Structures are given as structure tokens and as C-alpha cells.
Amino acid sequence: MKKPITNMDDYAELMAKHLRTLRHFERCLFSVWCADHLLTSHAEHLEENMSELDLRTLQEIVNDLWDSLLGGVIPETDQLNALDMEFMGNNDEWSAPMKDIHPAVSIVKQSIGMCILCCRRNDVGLAQTIAQLVIDCVECTLEENGPSFSPDTLFEHPQIQHELETQLAMIKHLKGEYDLDSNLRMMFR
């Protein structure tokens, strides 16, 4: 019998178990897929809370990661260093941390920075954390939009269930034969 997911610990355990079955390359693909989803699905909040330059930088970083991965390679150290410099160099939040920004903006930024780190390290925990950031963003949206929302029933909510199923479907897809083409960016979304 399948253990039900009732809290973040259950979710983290399940995701880590499934992500362990992927090679480092596929975990990088999965991580960038999650961060790309966050970037596109929260574009409105990002546009409202970030400078145009910073938003464009985040988009370029995700595009560069995709370009390397869809080319069949994890970015080289020099490329990752350059992406790190771009990420840290053009960021209003670092210079004005007290600025009131939407929580989704911080989560999206964190996911992109962690993608760079995930490409550096063969670490299941990093990929699991990036996947969890997607759940965190859904939770933020649910809290904003639903006064009856309760964190105690988070994993019973249809949007969370859908996201969990989507993430597991992508992991399963990456275990099998897949094409390295731009269709991966929107797969299951």
C-alpha cells in the first residue's frame, strides 16, 4: 500500500526517493524544469516586484541552463561561474533586502540560484528542494486566494495533488527514453 502524503516531510521523503533513481543529468533537467515553471507561472509577480534588467537576467540564466542541458551536457564550471555572477550581480533584493516583495518572487529567485548549484553538485537534496519550492509557491497562492485554506490539509488540495502528480510524471519520463528538445520545457504543464 502506498503511504499517503500528508505533510512536507512525507513529500520530501517521497521526492528524494524518486529523484535518487535519476542520474545527475536528469536531476538537473528536472530542477531547471521546476524553476522554469516557477518563472513563467509567476511572471506577473516578478514584473511587479523586479526591475526589467533583473527579470531578463533570470530568464537568460534559465535559458542558458536549458540550452546546455538540451545540448546533452551539464554546464561547465566556467559557465556556471558566469551564471552565478549574473545571478548575484543584477539583483535588487540583495541591495535592498527590506523591500516588501511578494513571497513568490523570493521563491522563484531561490529556485534559479539552486538550479545553478544543482548543476554543480550531484545532490538529490538540491533537486528535491527545488521541487518543494514549486509546492511552496502553490501554497502561497492558496493562502492568498483562499481564506478557508489550512496548511494542515495542504496535500489534500487539488492544486497540490496535481503538482505532485505532475512532478512524479516528469521524473518517470526522465527515467525512460526521452528526446532532448524544447518540448521538455513544457512537458506535463
Side-chain angles (χ1 to χ4, degrees):
M1 184 167 136
K2 204 169 161 181
K3 179 182 173 187
I5 306 302
T6 59
N7 57 48
M8 279 297 185
D9 289 339
D10 293 343
Y11 167 78
E13 183 181 321
L14 176 72
M15 292 306 292
K17 175 184 164 192
H18 285 280
L19 287 164
R20 254 186 233 104
T21 64
L22 298 179
R23 297 178 307 150
H24 181 213
F25 181 78
E26 281 78 20
R27 282 194 295 272
C28 292
L29 281 170
F30 177 79
S31 296
V32 174
W33 173 79
C34 287
D36 194 15
H37 172 64
L38 286 170
L39 186 65
T40 56
S41 64
H42 295 284
E44 183 180 306
H45 295 301
L46 295 167
E47 289 169 4
E48 291 171 2
N49 291 278
M50 294 180 69
S51 71
E52 189 176 319
L53 177 62
D54 283 348
L55 180 54
R56 190 171 44 251
T57 298
L58 292 181
Q59 291 166 334
E60 288 171 2
I61 290 169
V62 170
N63 288 339
D64 286 350
L65 290 170
W66 271 121
D67 288 346
S68 290
L69 293 168
L70 293 177
V73 295
I74 296 172
E76 298 283 331
T77 301
D78 291 345
Q79 182 183 1
L80 293 171
N81 289 343
L83 292 174
D84 258 341
M85 293 303 290
E86 286 178 50
F87 180 73
M88 296 302 288
N90 289 316
N91 197 323
D92 290 338
E93 187 179 327
W94 305 134
S95 60
M98 300 308 284
K99 183 179 172 186
D100 185 31
I101 61 170
H102 193 278
V105 175
S106 295
I107 292 171
V108 172
K109 287 180 183 182
Q110 186 179 5
S111 75
I112 293 169
M114 290 186 80
C115 278
I116 297 168
L117 192 56
C118 186
C119 289
R120 285 187 192 282
R121 299 183 191 159
N122 187 2
D123 183 341
V124 172
L126 287 169
Q128 182 274 318
T129 300
I130 296 167
Q132 186 170 327
L133 290 172
V134 178
I135 297 291
D136 291 344
C137 258
V138 174
E139 182 178 15
C140 284
T141 303
L142 292 172
E143 285 176 359
E144 267 181 9
N145 299 333
S148 63
F149 172 75
S150 168
D152 297 334
T153 60
L154 177 66
F155 286 94
E156 294 173 16
H157 197 280
Q159 282 181 277
I160 296 290
Q161 286 290 319
H162 176 74
E163 181 57 37
L164 177 59
E165 290 167 8
T166 302
Q167 289 180 6
L168 292 173
M170 184 59 158
I171 292 170
K172 183 177 180 181
H173 179 74
L174 292 172
K175 284 184 199 175
E177 291 185 30
Y178 58 90
D179 294 324
L180 286 174
D181 61 32
S182 60
N183 291 331
L184 276 177
R185 288 185 86 153
M186 297 305 293
M187 181 119 354
F188 305 111
R189 298 280 184 204

